[in-house]
Amino acid sequence: MFELKVIPHAEITTETLNEIIRIKSVAWSYSHSEHMDWINNNLKNTDFHVLLQKENKAVAYLNLVTIEITIDKVNHQAIGIGNVCSLEKGKGYGKELMKLTTHYVLQNNKIGLLFCKKKLMGFYRKHGWKPMERKQLNVTFESFNIETMITNYKHNFSHLRYDGRAF
Ligand SMILES: CC(C)(COP(=O)(O)OP(=O)(O)OC[C@H]1O[C@@H](n2cnc3c(N)ncnc32)[C@H](O)[C@@H]1OP(=O)(O)O)[C@@H](O)C(=O)NCCC(=O)NCCS
């Protein structure tokens, strides 16, 4: 019934962008052109749009960004997850989107990283994401009010560094 569509930003069509903005607008009330500007200014061609389809209709969205992180002085290519949102809350769309996306991250053998509000940690935890302690994290953007979660990194570590853009 559900299907995950993963589209490279380089290949996105205006029609699909409109679908994405329709979903994002439910969660974040910016104008269509503000959403469009954000996407074009913040996503790179190597990033991906992920749409959860239910009977060929997009019902939830997130984006995947290609990032580099350093864990205890070792560099890793990783996947950052951002802008998670659903067309209608409480219908299981978010759950399905995270289940399939986490599977995608694992299948691609990548470490996953996300930033979220404290109240959503339980939601992500159910799909195998683990919270990090603040003292483990070193990022270049303001991260005072957000939590960081990681998946597919099986070892204990003391320090993660991420110098890239916020996502
Ligand atoms: C977060 C969000 C994507 C969840 O999607 P959803 O379609 O409502 O989620 P589901 O219906 O699949 O619910 C999944 C579970 O998460 C819980 N949950 C959903 N939203 C929650 C919230 N805001 N706070 C706490 N728990 C939440 C649900 O109760 C449910 O719990 P269950 O598994 O015990 O039944 C959706 O609420 C949303 O679009 N929020 C606005 C945008 C946002 O804040 N995104 C997060 C950016 S970090």
Side-chain angles (χ1 to χ4, degrees):
M1 185 169 69
F2 288 106
E3 193 197 344
L4 203 67
K5 235 167 121 177
V6 182
I7 310 159
H9 183 55
E11 293 170 22
I12 199 80
T13 62
T14 307
E15 193 188 351
T16 309
L17 272 178
N18 289 340
E19 250 188 315
I20 290 167
I21 291 172
R22 191 167 55 91
I23 301 173
K24 287 188 75 173
S25 298
V26 175
W28 298 287
S29 65
Y30 296 102
S31 69
H32 187 278
S33 64
E34 284 171 321
H35 275 296
M36 195 67 97
D37 286 349
W38 190 92
I39 291 170
N40 286 325
N41 293 335
N42 289 282
L43 294 187
K44 296 183 179 168
N45 280 345
T46 48
D47 297 334
F48 295 89
H49 299 273
V50 178
L51 284 158
L52 180 76
Q53 306 267 127
K54 185 187 177 193
E55 286 142 17
N56 279 328
K57 186 186 169 217
V59 291
Y61 171 80
L62 56 79
N63 50 232
L64 299 179
V65 297
T66 311
I67 57 171
E68 295 233 340
I69 57 177
T70 308
I71 302 180
D72 290 343
K73 297 190 176 157
V74 178
N75 294 339
H76 301 268
Q77 275 238 323
I79 292 182
I81 291 192
N83 287 271
V84 184
C85 54
S86 64
L87 193 58
E88 287 177 83
K89 288 185 183 173
K91 295 216 162 169
Y93 301 154
K95 198 188 295 191
E96 197 63 32
L97 176 68
M98 279 314 294
K99 187 180 90 184
L100 296 176
T101 302
T102 306
H103 183 69
Y104 176 90
V105 172
L106 265 56
Q107 263 195 332
N108 281 276
N109 204 21
K110 290 273 162 40
I111 300 166
L113 193 75
L114 65 79
F115 303 103
C116 71
K117 299 168 222 160
K118 198 178 183 81
K119 66 174 187 174
L120 281 176
M121 290 173 81
F123 168 69
Y124 294 117
R125 204 191 278 262
K126 280 182 190 157
H127 301 288
W129 291 74
K130 294 190 185 120
M132 280 175 45
E133 288 178 42
R134 253 164 228 281
K135 63 176 188 207
Q136 287 178 288
L137 183 70
N138 188 337
V139 291
T140 38
F141 51 86
E142 176 58 67
S143 63
F144 179 67
N145 239 343
I146 52 172
E147 303 295 331
T148 309
M149 300 184 79
I150 187 164
T151 197
N152 203 27
Y153 190 75
K154 294 180 179 61
H155 315 283
N156 291 327
F157 64 94
S158 45
H159 190 250
L160 185 149
R161 182 176 180 88
Y162 170 60
D163 289 327
R165 61 206 148 128
F167 54 84

